[in-house]
């Protein structure tokens, strides 16, 4: 196993143990994260997002990871998050393909890709089924996610 593969195992093991602090130790301070829900996040906002998501799950999130591969500069993994979406309490099983870039043994770029329409059908039921495919609905999901992150940072006094 390469050092960067060990970093990814550390990251996802920490995630499965609801340990955002250890997850963030795997990131460089210049981390750039992107996914369909939050869009692009940078620096400390990435760690705050993981802390918020773990806290909101109240320990009811199951993380499974596989297919971890990494070279000196690039890496990938597949992971599955199973949880109840906090706004609707509907069960979501999200299958995610992750891509990574490394520098000096730390993650500098992390991109999670998944089907936002499939996710929205699970998270929002019939509303997600009818509208989840539209750019308007997907933009609303992102706006609400970013707003919840801002509120989280404000209440936890984080810059």
């Amino acid at each position: 196993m390469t050092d960067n593969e060990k970093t990814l195992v550390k990251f996802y093991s920490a995630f499965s143990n609801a340990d955002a602090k250890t997850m963030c130790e795997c990131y460089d301070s210049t981390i750039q994260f992107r996914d369909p829900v939050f869009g692009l996040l940078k620096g400390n906002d990435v760690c705050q997002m993981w802390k918020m998501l773990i806290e909101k799950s109240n320990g009811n999130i199951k993380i499974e990871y596989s297919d971890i591969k990494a070279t000196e500069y690039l890496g990938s993994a597949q992971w599955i998050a199973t949880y109840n979406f906090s706004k609707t309490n509907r069960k979501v099983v999200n299958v995610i393909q992750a891509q990574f870039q490394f520098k000096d043994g730390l993650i500098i770029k992390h991109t999670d890709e998944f089907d936002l329409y499939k996710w929205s059908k699970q998270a929002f039921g019939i509303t997600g089924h009818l509208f989840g495919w539209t750019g308007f609905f997907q933009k609303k999901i992102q706006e609400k996610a970013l707003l919840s992150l801002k509120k989280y940072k404000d209440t936890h006094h984080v810059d």
Side-chain angles (χ1 to χ4, degrees), residues 12 18-19 27-28 49 64 74 97 102 106 109 139 155:
Y12 286 111
D19 181 358
Y27 283 145
D28 185 81
M49 173 203 61
E64 302 168 88
L74 300 174
Q97 188 61 42
F102 299 93
L106 295 174
K109 277 194 176 175
K139 189 172 190 295
T155 59

Side-chain angles (χ1 to χ4, degrees), residues 20-91:
K21 182 179 181 292
T22 300
M23 290 172 72
C24 292
E25 290 170 2
C26 299
Y27 283 145
D28 185 81
S29 62
T30 64
I31 182 66
Q32 290 188 23
F33 172 87
R34 181 182 300 274
D35 83 348
V37 171
F38 287 92
L40 177 64
L41 297 176
K42 296 180 181 181
N44 192 47
D45 283 356
V46 180
C47 289
Q48 295 308 312
M49 173 203 61
W50 291 124
K51 288 177 185 174
M52 176 185 76
L53 293 174
I54 287 170
E55 281 182 29
K56 281 188 173 188
S57 75
N58 294 317
N60 294 319
I61 187 169
K62 180 181 170 196
I63 303 299
E64 302 168 88
Y65 58 93
S66 61
D67 296 330
I68 287 182
K69 298 179 183 87
T71 64
E72 186 178 354
Y73 300 107
L74 300 174
S76 63
Q78 181 171 310
W79 60 286
I80 301 170
T82 305
Y83 59 96
N84 286 352
F85 181 57
S86 60
K87 299 275 187 279
T88 60
N89 203 35
R90 294 178 58 86
K91 184 178 180 180

Side-chain angles (χ1 to χ4, degrees), residues 35-39 94-95 113-124 128-129 131-135 137-142:
D35 83 348
V37 171
F38 287 92
N94 199 11
V95 178
E113 297 172 351
F114 57 89
D115 185 334
L116 189 55
Y117 179 46
K118 189 174 182 181
W119 178 88
S120 67
K121 288 189 289 186
Q122 294 177 77
F124 294 103
H129 192 79
F131 303 107
W133 61 273
T134 66
F137 195 81
Q138 292 181 1
K139 189 172 190 295
K140 284 291 178 203
I141 290 170
Q142 192 173 87

